[in-house]
Amino acid sequence: MVFRIVIAGESQCNIFAEVCLVADHISQNLPSFCYERIEKPVAEWKLWLCKINQKNKWHHIDSPIIWKELLMMGSKPFYIGGACEFLEYCHSYYNFDLFLSPTRFEHLVYNYGQYQRKIKQEKRLNSSSQIFDYQNDVKKSDYTICISGAGNPISMFIISGLFELTSGDKIISKIYIYDDDCSQSFMDFIEYECNFLGGDLSSKVVKNIEKIGVALTGTNLLIILDYVPFRSTYSIGKWLYENKKVMERIALNINASASQKMYIVFPNLGPACYNATVLANAVKSLPRSNIVVVTSDIGLDIVPVAAEIADVPLKNIFCPPVWGFVGINHLADIHTTIHKYESFDPYNRFIKVRNSTLCVGTLTPELRSMEYLMFSDDTLWTKVAERKIQKKLSERPICINKAVAVLNLVKLWLFYPDPKNVVNLGIPCNGAFGLTFGGHFSQPANLVNGKWEPASNYALPRDPNMSISYLEEIAKLWSVVMRLWDMWGALWTVEALVLFLGVLATPLDPVPQSLGGERRLYYSYALFFSK
C-alpha cells in the first residue's frame, strides 16, 4: 500500500473513537492497511479544523474528518469525508464486514446514529439561548436578516448574494431561515448547503429556526417569500383570500416579537402588492413605510428584448419604470425608460477636412428616453411573452431577476444609501403622480432619510394603451371587492347563526313532516357556515 488513511477528531468524540476502532480492525487483518490517528483537544479542534479546511479548500464541519495521502513528503491529501463516508469507503474497497462480526458492525452503526440524534437534539434545545446570546454580542454595524418561506428555491440565490454584501464595517452577520410548510430535514439541508457559501466555516452564518418569533426580536430585515400560488381551481377572490390568511398569520408574529425599526421586503411573488397592503394593515408595531415590494424584476425581464429591438447596448439602458398593483396588474413603461447616449458635436474642420488627424469634435454623454426608438415597433410584448413561455418550459424556470432585484434593494437600503438612485418599489402612495390609493402601489422611488418615498420628479408613463389612473382604479376596485368578500363571509356567518337560534327556539313536538325537513336543512345550513 502506497498511501495511508488519516483520521482526525476531537478527543471527546465517540464517533472518532469508533472510526479508529474500525481502522484498527482493518489494519490487524490487512497488514498493508496503514492509518494515522490525529487527536485534538476540544478547545483546539475547531481552530485546527478551520485551518485544515482553508489549506485544502474543504468544507468539513463535524468530527471526525478523514482523508488519504501518499506515503511521501508533500503529497496532496484526498478528502474522504466523515464517519459515514469512511464506512462506505472501507466496505467498497476492503469488504471489512468479512472479518468484522455483524453484531459489532450493527453496534457501530447504532452508536453512530444515536450520537447524531443526540447532537441534533442538543442543538435544538440550545437554539433559543444561542440566538439571544448572539443578539447580545452582535455589533451595531452588523445586520441580521430573516427569510420567511425559505423553502422557495429563490432563497438560495438571495442568500448567496447576501454573503457578498459588505461596506466597511457593515456586514451581514446572521441569516435566519424559516418555513412552516417544509419539513425540518429539508430546512436542515438548506442550512447545511448555504453555510458553505459564506466561506467562514468557524461559525454558521445561516441558521434554521423552528419558531420565527425568536429570531424577529433582533432582525433588521425580514424577507417574506410566503405566498399562495394561483391555481386553476381558484377564483381571483379565493386566491387573494388565501394569501390574506397567510399575511395575517405572519403579522401575528411581527406584532408580538419584531422591533419597531425592522424593515420588510416582499419580492415579486404572487399578489405582492396586495400581500404588502394586507400586512401593513395588520401590523401595528411598524410604520407602513418600512414595508416595500420589489418590482424591478418586471423591468429587468423586458430590458434584453428592448435592447435588441432598439439596437442599444444593454449596459446603457436603465431599468424601465414599473407601475401598478403588481401581482394583479402592472405597466412596465418602455417609453420613459432612460438610456445613455453620446452625441457628436463636430468642429468646423470636420466639414472641411474629413481625414484630419486632429480632434474633429466632441462627444457629449446624454440621457434620453427610449420613446423615439420604440415608437414604430410593437413587437416588444410579444417577444417578452415568448421568452417567458420558454423559461417556464425550461429545466430551471426560476427567475433570477427576482433575486437580483431584492439584492439591489438590500444593497441600497442597508449598505450604500443614495437618494439619487431611483428604484421600482411597491410603497404607500402620498399623492405624488396623482396617486391616492391607500395601499402599496408600484412606482419609482427614492431613499429619503432611510425611508422610500415616490420619486415625484420622474416622468409619468407615456404608454399609449395604458394609464396609471386606470391601474389605480383597478387596485381600488380589488380592495373594495376583498372588503366586501370579508363582509359577505361575516354576513353569512351571522345569518346562519340567526337561523340556527331560530330553529332551536321552535317547539320540538308536534312537528309537521315538511317543517321537520326544513328544520334539518336549516340545522345543516347553520353547521356548514359556522365552520
Side-chain angles (χ1 to χ4, degrees):
M1 184 176 182
V2 296
F3 64 87
R4 63 182 173 185
I5 303 294
V6 180
I7 305 172
E10 288 184 3
S11 58
Q12 302 298 323
C13 178
N14 295 338
I15 300 301
F16 172 60
E18 298 284 5
V19 169
C20 291
L21 178 62
V22 172
D24 185 65
H25 270 279
I26 297 176
S27 63
Q28 292 178 11
N29 290 270
L30 298 176
S32 60
F33 181 86
C34 177
Y35 82 98
E36 179 183 353
R37 184 173 182 269
I38 301 177
E39 182 177 336
K40 291 292 181 180
V42 177
E44 301 176 5
W45 166 251
K46 288 187 177 180
L47 180 60
W48 181 85
L49 179 61
C50 184
K51 292 180 179 179
I52 291 294
N53 283 328
Q54 292 177 352
K55 178 181 178 181
N56 300 307
K57 297 181 179 180
W58 294 340
H59 302 286
H60 194 86
I61 297 177
D62 300 323
S63 171
I65 180 174
I66 304 165
W67 70 87
K68 63 180 180 180
E69 57 186 23
L70 298 176
L71 293 175
M72 62 177 64
M73 294 295 294
S75 62
K76 180 181 178 181
F78 295 91
Y79 178 73
I80 294 178
C84 184
E85 291 80 10
F86 177 69
L87 292 178
E88 293 179 358
Y89 176 85
C90 293
H91 177 75
S92 60
Y93 276 82
Y94 307 112
N95 286 328
F96 74 96
D97 52 339
L98 295 177
F99 48 84
L100 187 66
S101 63
T103 56
R104 183 57 181 164
F105 178 71
E106 291 176 0
H107 176 70
L108 291 175
V109 174
Y110 174 76
N111 280 0
Y112 178 73
Q114 187 181 34
Y115 179 74
Q116 292 297 326
R117 288 191 295 270
K118 178 182 177 183
I119 294 297
K120 190 173 183 179
Q121 184 178 9
E122 290 178 353
K123 288 181 179 179
R124 290 183 178 179
L125 291 175
N126 296 331
S127 60
S128 299
S129 60
Q130 289 175 357
I131 290 174
F132 285 119
D133 292 342
Y134 164 77
Q135 291 169 356
N136 293 331
D137 297 337
V138 72
K139 299 179 181 178
K140 293 183 179 180
S141 58
D142 294 353
Y143 292 113
T144 302
I145 295 178
C146 182
I147 302 178
S148 178
N152 192 312
I154 195 177
S155 65
M156 298 286 286
F157 297 97
I158 293 177
I159 293 173
S160 63
L162 290 175
F163 281 126
E164 301 176 2
L165 296 180
T166 56
S167 175
D169 60 344
K170 296 181 179 180
I171 61 171
I172 295 176
S173 55
K174 205 71 174 179
I175 301 175
Y176 295 117
I177 57 175
Y178 171 80
D179 198 322
D180 193 29
D181 296 330
C182 294
S183 64
Q184 189 65 29
S185 59
F186 180 72
M187 296 305 298
D188 290 340
F189 169 76
I190 295 179
E191 174 190 332
Y192 181 79
E193 292 294 324
C194 290
N195 275 307
F196 290 153
L197 301 175
D200 183 11
L201 300 175
S202 60
S203 62
K204 291 185 177 181
V205 178
V206 181
K207 176 68 176 178
N208 175 35
I209 52 176
E210 296 183 3
K211 295 183 179 180
I212 192 172
V214 178
L216 289 180
T217 55
T219 295
N220 303 107
L221 176 68
L222 172 62
I223 301 175
I224 298 179
L225 305 180
D226 301 272
Y227 77 103
V228 178
F230 185 77
R231 301 175 184 175
S232 58
T233 57
Y234 283 172
S235 64
I236 299 296
K238 174 67 173 177
W239 177 49
L240 296 180
Y241 180 71
E242 293 296 327
N243 279 277
K244 180 182 178 181
K245 292 193 295 185
V246 174
M247 294 301 109
E248 289 176 344
R249 186 173 67 248
I250 295 175
L252 292 176
N253 290 316
I254 295 176
N255 288 329
S257 307
S259 167
Q260 295 182 356
K261 298 181 180 180
M262 185 180 72
Y263 299 139
I264 299 178
V265 174
F266 282 86
N268 180 20
L269 298 172
C273 281
Y274 174 78
N275 287 345
T277 301
V278 172
L279 188 70
N281 293 333
V283 171
K284 306 303 180 183
S285 58
L286 297 178
R288 298 174 67 90
S289 58
N290 284 20
I291 304 174
V292 300
V293 181
V294 184
T295 58
S296 296
D297 62 292
I298 298 175
L300 295 176
D301 287 340
I302 71 172
V303 166
V305 182
E308 293 178 4
I309 295 175
D311 195 19
V312 176
L314 183 60
K315 63 180 181 179
N316 292 342
I317 303 178
F318 291 87
C319 181
V322 179
W323 307 82
F325 200 47
V326 172
I328 304 297
N329 60 8
H330 66 263
L331 166 64
D333 187 28
I334 195 64
H335 296 272
T336 55
T337 302
I338 305 299
H339 77 100
K340 295 180 181 179
Y341 180 82
E342 291 184 343
S343 62
F344 175 63
D345 297 324
Y347 295 150
N348 290 332
R349 71 167 64 95
F350 178 74
I351 302 175
K352 299 176 181 179
V353 183
R354 292 298 182 92
N355 297 324
S356 175
T357 58
L358 300 176
C359 182
V360 295
T362 59
L363 291 175
T364 304
E366 297 179 357
L367 296 179
R368 296 184 177 182
S369 66
M370 295 189 63
E371 185 175 14
Y372 71 100
L373 297 174
M374 305 294 297
F375 184 78
S376 59
D377 195 309
D378 56 355
T379 62
L380 173 64
W381 300 113
T382 303
K383 294 180 179 179
V384 170
E386 291 175 353
R387 291 198 176 189
K388 286 186 177 180
I389 294 175
Q390 293 176 358
K391 183 177 292 185
K392 289 182 179 180
L393 298 177
S394 64
E395 295 181 356
R396 300 187 66 182
I398 302 172
C399 186
I400 306 299
N401 287 335
K402 296 183 185 298
V404 172
V406 171
L407 294 172
N408 288 338
L409 175 69
V410 175
K411 182 179 179 180
L412 288 174
W413 207 351
L414 300 183
F415 293 93
Y416 300 97
D418 185 359
K420 296 181 180 180
N421 275 310
V422 179
V423 184
N424 295 313
L425 293 177
I427 56 176
C429 302
N430 65 354
F433 307 111
L435 298 173
T436 59
F437 176 57
H440 282 64
F441 194 89
S442 179
Q443 54 197 299
N446 292 115
L447 186 63
V448 180
N449 297 325
K451 297 181 179 180
W452 292 101
E453 297 181 357
S456 56
N457 57 345
Y458 203 89
L460 289 171
R462 293 195 288 266
D463 190 281
N465 302 316
M466 187 72 68
S467 64
I468 59 172
S469 60
Y470 173 76
L471 297 173
E472 184 184 20
E473 289 299 324
I474 295 297
K476 291 180 179 179
L477 177 62
W478 275 111
S479 298
V480 172
V481 168
M482 293 312 298
R483 284 199 295 269
L484 291 176
W485 182 287
D486 294 337
M487 294 173 60
W488 185 258
L491 180 63
W492 275 106
T493 303
V494 172
E495 183 177 353
L497 181 60
V498 171
L499 289 173
F500 178 63
L501 294 176
V503 170
L504 292 180
T506 58
L508 295 178
D509 293 313
V511 180
Q513 186 66 28
S514 59
L515 181 58
E518 293 178 0
R519 187 172 185 176
R520 286 191 294 271
L521 176 62
Y522 288 156
Y523 183 77
S524 302
Y525 193 75
L527 283 180
F528 175 77
F529 283 102
S530 63
K531 293 179 181 179

